[in-house]
CSV table of all heavy atoms in Angstrom, one decimal:
chain,number,residue,atom,x,y,z
N,208,HIS,N,5.5,2.7,-26.1
N,208,HIS,CA,4.2,2.8,-26.6
N,208,HIS,C,3.6,1.4,-26.9
N,208,HIS,O,4.3,0.5,-27.2
N,208,HIS,CB,4.1,3.7,-27.8
N,208,HIS,CG,4.3,5.1,-27.5
N,208,HIS,ND1,3.3,6.0,-27.2
N,208,HIS,CD2,5.5,5.8,-27.3
N,208,HIS,CE1,3.9,7.2,-27.0
N,208,HIS,NE2,5.2,7.1,-27.0
N,209,PRO,N,2.3,1.2,-26.7
N,209,PRO,CA,1.2,2.2,-26.5
N,209,PRO,C,1.0,2.7,-25.1
N,209,PRO,O,0.2,3.6,-24.9
N,209,PRO,CB,0.0,1.6,-27.1
N,209,PRO,CG,0.2,0.1,-26.7
N,209,PRO,CD,1.7,-0.1,-26.9
N,210,ALA,N,1.7,2.1,-24.1
N,210,ALA,CA,1.4,2.4,-22.7
N,210,ALA,C,1.7,3.9,-22.5
N,210,ALA,O,0.8,4.6,-21.8
N,210,ALA,CB,2.3,1.6,-21.8
N,211,ALA,N,2.8,4.4,-23.0
N,211,ALA,CA,3.1,5.9,-22.8
N,211,ALA,C,2.0,6.8,-23.3
N,211,ALA,O,1.8,7.8,-22.8
N,211,ALA,CB,4.5,6.2,-23.4
N,212,GLY,N,1.4,6.3,-24.4
N,212,GLY,CA,0.3,7.2,-25.0
N,212,GLY,C,-0.9,7.4,-24.2
N,212,GLY,O,-1.7,8.3,-24.4
N,213,LEU,N,-1.1,6.5,-23.1
N,213,LEU,CA,-2.2,6.7,-22.2
N,213,LEU,C,-2.1,8.0,-21.5
N,213,LEU,O,-3.2,8.6,-21.1
N,213,LEU,CB,-2.3,5.5,-21.3
N,213,LEU,CG,-2.6,4.1,-21.8
N,213,LEU,CD1,-2.4,3.1,-20.8
N,213,LEU,CD2,-4.0,4.1,-22.4
N,214,VAL,N,-0.9,8.5,-21.3
N,214,VAL,CA,-0.7,9.7,-20.5
N,214,VAL,C,-1.2,11.0,-21.2
N,214,VAL,O,-2.1,11.7,-20.7
N,214,VAL,CB,0.7,9.9,-20.0
N,214,VAL,CG1,0.9,11.2,-19.3
N,214,VAL,CG2,1.1,8.7,-19.0
N,215,PRO,N,-0.8,11.2,-22.4
N,215,PRO,CA,-1.3,12.4,-23.1
N,215,PRO,C,-2.8,12.2,-23.4
N,215,PRO,O,-3.5,13.2,-23.5
N,215,PRO,CB,-0.5,12.5,-24.4
N,215,PRO,CG,0.2,11.2,-24.5
N,215,PRO,CD,0.4,10.6,-23.2
N,216,TYR,N,-3.2,11.0,-23.7
N,216,TYR,CA,-4.6,10.7,-23.9
N,216,TYR,C,-5.5,11.1,-22.7
N,216,TYR,O,-6.5,11.8,-22.8
N,216,TYR,CB,-4.8,9.3,-24.3
N,216,TYR,CG,-6.3,8.9,-24.5
N,216,TYR,CD1,-7.0,9.4,-25.6
N,216,TYR,CD2,-7.0,8.0,-23.6
N,216,TYR,CE1,-8.3,9.0,-25.9
N,216,TYR,CE2,-8.3,7.7,-23.9
N,216,TYR,CZ,-8.9,8.2,-25.0
N,216,TYR,OH,-10.3,7.8,-25.2
N,217,ALA,N,-5.0,10.7,-21.5
N,217,ALA,CA,-5.7,11.1,-20.3
N,217,ALA,C,-5.7,12.6,-20.1
N,217,ALA,O,-6.8,13.2,-19.7
N,217,ALA,CB,-5.1,10.4,-19.1
N,218,HIS,N,-4.6,13.3,-20.4
N,218,HIS,CA,-4.5,14.7,-20.3
N,218,HIS,C,-5.5,15.4,-21.2
N,218,HIS,O,-6.2,16.4,-20.8
N,218,HIS,CB,-3.1,15.2,-20.6
N,218,HIS,CG,-2.9,16.7,-20.5
N,218,HIS,ND1,-2.9,17.4,-19.4
N,218,HIS,CD2,-2.7,17.6,-21.5
N,218,HIS,CE1,-2.7,18.7,-19.6
N,218,HIS,NE2,-2.6,18.8,-20.9
N,219,ARG,N,-5.6,14.9,-22.4
N,219,ARG,CA,-6.6,15.6,-23.4
N,219,ARG,C,-8.0,15.4,-22.9
N,219,ARG,O,-8.9,16.2,-23.2
N,219,ARG,CB,-6.4,14.9,-24.8
N,219,ARG,CG,-5.1,15.3,-25.5
N,219,ARG,CD,-5.2,15.0,-26.9
N,219,ARG,NE,-5.3,13.5,-27.2
N,219,ARG,CZ,-4.3,12.7,-27.3
N,219,ARG,NH1,-3.1,13.1,-27.2
N,219,ARG,NH2,-4.5,11.4,-27.5
N,220,ARG,N,-8.3,14.4,-22.2
N,220,ARG,CA,-9.6,14.1,-21.7
N,220,ARG,C,-9.9,14.9,-20.4
N,220,ARG,O,-11.0,14.8,-19.8
N,220,ARG,CB,-9.8,12.6,-21.4
N,220,ARG,CG,-9.8,11.8,-22.7
N,220,ARG,CD,-10.1,10.3,-22.3
N,220,ARG,NE,-11.4,10.1,-21.6
N,220,ARG,CZ,-12.5,10.0,-22.2
N,220,ARG,NH1,-12.6,10.1,-23.5
N,220,ARG,NH2,-13.7,9.9,-21.5
Side-chain angles (χ1 to χ4, degrees):
H208 289 265
L213 294 171
V214 173
Y216 179 66
H218 178 70
R219 290 194 297 271
R220 293 181 60 82

